[in-house]
Amino acid sequence: MLNQQYKECIQACLECMEACNVCYSACLKEEDVAMMSYCIRLDKECADICGFTAKAMQSNSPFAEQICKLCAEICEACGKECEKHDQEHCKKCAESCFRCAEECRKMAS
Amino acid sequence: MLNQQYKECIQACLECMEACNVCYSACLKEEDVAMMSYCIRLDKECADICGFTAKAMQSNSPFAEQICKLCAEICEACGKECEKHDQEHCKKCAESCFRCAEECRKMAS
Amino acid sequence: MLNQQYKECIQACLECMEACNVCYSACLKEEDVAMMSYCIRLDKECADICGFTAKAMQSNSPFAEQICKLCAEICEACGKECEKHDQEHCKKCAESCFRCAEECRKMAS
Amino acid sequence: MLNQQYKECIQACLECMEACNVCYSACLKEEDVAMMSYCIRLDKECADICGFTAKAMQSNSPFAEQICKLCAEICEACGKECEKHDQEHCKKCAESCFRCAEECRKMAS
């Protein structure tokens, strides 16, 4: 059975993974790609760690807390980069990142 | 923006990923682990390809269809193995696998 | 023990994963990022499937052949995109992609 | 170009990923699977974080150091579990884990 204490954090990770993958793809299609290059990099990094973290919680990894701690850090950085940009996908992504960072910090503590 | 045609298939992949990771972890704790060894293997394989496939659709991969096709095949095999076992986590996992296989086949065709 | 028939293909996948990740990162730092945007996308996709494919062979996945087939297709596409560009990292990446595609096709057949 | 300071650590991660995936697969075929269940779990976890860490270094992730720190911790735990068992694949895996843990600690500091 899914460990219920993880439920909200897993949900936040999966939503953040989606927002980051969507933002990554949208940034690659922006006219001024150069301006988005750090956003592209962090989106991909953040999407990947969110997927990794969800998997860790879903499978009761003995390292779930440490993985959540790292995930919170990457989400925080990605959110800070995304909120600098005006695009809708970046705004939405920043929100998901900050929410996920918060849920992950709760799990990690 | 998320490609809306992918929405249900992504959801099915994420649910299947969760069911497989939960089943994987539960199988490893079963008394008769030996009987579950092929289930453990397929659960992990299926969880991983489901995560991979969700990511592909979320980021508009030009290979999303081929990846869905592969995912359908692995989900089908995992579902068939899981449904052989009486455990609740296996029954639930089999269901998620078959639903995901179906959604992935739709996307792939 | 590692299945020896997989040895060269695993090596090709790991080298291609590295070349693609290096190319991805270098493309994001190019002055004309826009020109590299499809290369960035395919590099990341190709790096990820190569890692996935290496893992499948290393762990004797029952789906190794199908995964190799998909990997060959993505490597081929990434190689074709990379060889359009003059950058050293793109040339090197294209070479690794074509070699990996060939090894994967051998495994898949 | 590949960041040369990462070269040995990437190599250690890729070797550890392989040893863990091989050990995972071999453990699932052992007669006494139950005895290997924690080894199976840690092998998979360790293989996955090693692949993740190699990717981070190859693509110049701004989080490479933190990821290496987490990888070192998981490798250490996996090595300690593997060295409890007499199987050849476990002994070999333990060695790769401890070497990778050491390289990752160097990168993280």
Side-chain angles (χ1 to χ4, degrees):
Chain A
M1 217 178 59
L2 186 66
N3 193 326
Q4 291 301 305
Q5 68 173 125
Y6 289 147
K7 217 178 163 184
E8 288 192 37
C9 192
I10 291 170
Q11 196 50 39
C13 283
L14 294 179
E15 281 172 25
C16 189
M17 173 185 153
E18 181 156 306
C20 285
N21 276 324
V22 167
C23 189
Y24 164 81
S25 178
C27 283
L28 280 170
K29 290 175 197 159
E30 290 287 339
E31 241 173 283
D32 190 352
V33 191
M35 206 181 71
M36 312 311 281
S37 72
Y38 197 55
C39 198
I40 291 168
R41 181 184 279 281
L42 289 188
D43 278 341
K44 191 33 91 186
E45 186 112 25
C46 193
D48 287 353
I49 191 69
C50 283
F52 197 90
T53 306
K55 175 177 75 171
M57 289 184 281
Q58 289 168 346
S59 60
N60 274 308
S61 160
F63 301 99
E65 291 181 21
Q66 292 97 312
I67 295 170
C68 282
K69 188 166 170 278
L70 175 63
C71 189
E73 208 175 331
I74 297 178
C75 286
E76 194 68 35
C78 188
K80 279 180 184 162
E81 175 60 25
C82 277
E83 70 175 354
K84 290 181 194 165
H85 303 285
D86 291 330
Q87 284 81 349
E88 184 66 26
H89 53 81
C90 286
K91 296 294 176 207
K92 198 171 174 309
C93 188
E95 246 181 71
S96 297
C97 287
F98 291 136
R99 190 167 51 240
C100 187
E102 200 188 324
E103 288 294 333
C104 283
R105 273 190 299 265
K106 276 193 227 165
M107 289 313 312
S109 66
Chain B
M1 218 178 59
L2 186 65
N3 191 325
Q4 290 302 306
Q5 69 175 124
Y6 289 148
K7 217 178 164 185
E8 287 191 40
C9 191
I10 292 171
Q11 196 51 38
C13 283
L14 294 179
E15 279 172 26
C16 189
M17 172 186 155
E18 182 156 305
C20 286
N21 277 324
V22 167
C23 188
Y24 165 81
S25 178
C27 283
L28 281 170
K29 290 175 196 157
E30 290 287 339
E31 242 174 281
D32 191 352
V33 191
M35 206 180 71
M36 313 310 284
S37 71
Y38 196 55
C39 198
I40 291 168
R41 180 184 279 281
L42 289 188
D43 279 342
K44 192 31 91 185
E45 187 111 24
C46 193
D48 287 353
I49 191 69
C50 284
F52 198 89
T53 306
K55 176 176 73 172
M57 289 184 281
Q58 289 167 347
S59 59
N60 274 310
S61 161
F63 302 100
E65 290 180 22
Q66 293 96 313
I67 296 170
C68 281
K69 188 164 170 278
L70 175 63
C71 190
E73 206 176 334
I74 298 179
C75 285
E76 194 68 34
C78 188
K80 279 179 184 163
E81 175 60 26
C82 275
E83 71 174 355
K84 290 181 195 165
H85 303 286
D86 291 330
Q87 283 81 349
E88 184 66 27
H89 52 83
C90 286
K91 295 294 176 208
K92 199 171 174 312
C93 189
E95 246 179 72
S96 298
C97 287
F98 291 136
R99 190 167 49 240
C100 187
E102 201 188 324
E103 289 294 334
C104 282
R105 272 190 300 264
K106 277 193 230 165
M107 289 311 313
S109 65
Chain C
M1 217 178 61
L2 185 65
N3 192 326
Q4 290 302 304
Q5 68 174 124
Y6 289 148
K7 218 179 162 183
E8 286 191 39
C9 192
I10 292 171
Q11 195 51 39
C13 284
L14 294 178
E15 280 172 25
C16 189
M17 172 186 154
E18 181 157 305
C20 286
N21 277 324
V22 167
C23 189
Y24 165 81
S25 178
C27 284
L28 281 169
K29 291 176 196 156
E30 290 287 340
E31 242 173 281
D32 190 353
V33 191
M35 205 180 72
M36 313 311 282
S37 71
Y38 196 55
C39 198
I40 291 168
R41 181 184 278 279
L42 288 188
D43 278 342
K44 189 35 89 186
E45 186 111 24
C46 192
D48 287 353
I49 191 67
C50 283
F52 198 89
T53 306
K55 175 176 75 172
M57 289 184 280
Q58 289 168 347
S59 59
N60 274 308
S61 161
F63 302 99
E65 290 180 22
Q66 293 96 312
I67 295 170
C68 281
K69 188 165 170 278
L70 175 63
C71 190
E73 207 176 333
I74 298 179
C75 286
E76 195 68 34
C78 188
K80 278 179 186 165
E81 174 61 24
C82 275
E83 70 175 355
K84 290 182 196 164
H85 303 285
D86 291 330
Q87 283 81 349
E88 184 65 27
H89 53 83
C90 286
K91 296 293 175 207
K92 197 171 174 310
C93 188
E95 247 179 72
S96 298
C97 287
F98 290 135
R99 191 167 49 240
C100 188
E102 200 188 324
E103 289 294 334
C104 282
R105 274 190 299 264
K106 277 193 229 166
M107 289 312 312
S109 64
Chain D
M1 218 178 59
L2 185 66
N3 191 326
Q4 291 301 306
Q5 69 174 122
Y6 288 148
K7 216 178 164 185
E8 287 192 38
C9 192
I10 291 170
Q11 195 51 38
C13 283
L14 294 179
E15 280 172 24
C16 190
M17 173 186 155
E18 180 157 307
C20 286
N21 277 325
V22 167
C23 189
Y24 165 81
S25 178
C27 283
L28 280 170
K29 291 175 197 158
E30 290 287 340
E31 242 174 281
D32 190 353
V33 191
M35 206 180 71
M36 312 312 283
S37 71
Y38 197 55
C39 198
I40 291 167
R41 180 184 279 281
L42 289 187
D43 278 341
K44 192 31 91 186
E45 186 112 25
C46 193
D48 287 353
I49 190 70
C50 283
F52 197 89
T53 306
K55 175 177 73 172
M57 289 185 280
Q58 289 167 347
S59 58
N60 275 309
S61 160
F63 301 99
E65 290 181 20
Q66 292 96 311
I67 295 170
C68 282
K69 188 165 170 276
L70 176 63
C71 190
E73 208 176 332
I74 297 178
C75 286
E76 194 69 34
C78 188
K80 278 179 184 164
E81 176 60 25
C82 276
E83 71 174 355
K84 289 180 194 164
H85 304 286
D86 291 331
Q87 284 80 349
E88 184 66 25
H89 54 81
C90 286
K91 295 295 175 206
K92 197 169 174 312
C93 188
E95 247 180 71
S96 297
C97 286
F98 291 136
R99 191 168 49 241
C100 187
E102 201 187 323
E103 288 295 334
C104 282
R105 274 190 299 266
K106 276 193 228 166
M107 288 314 311
S109 66

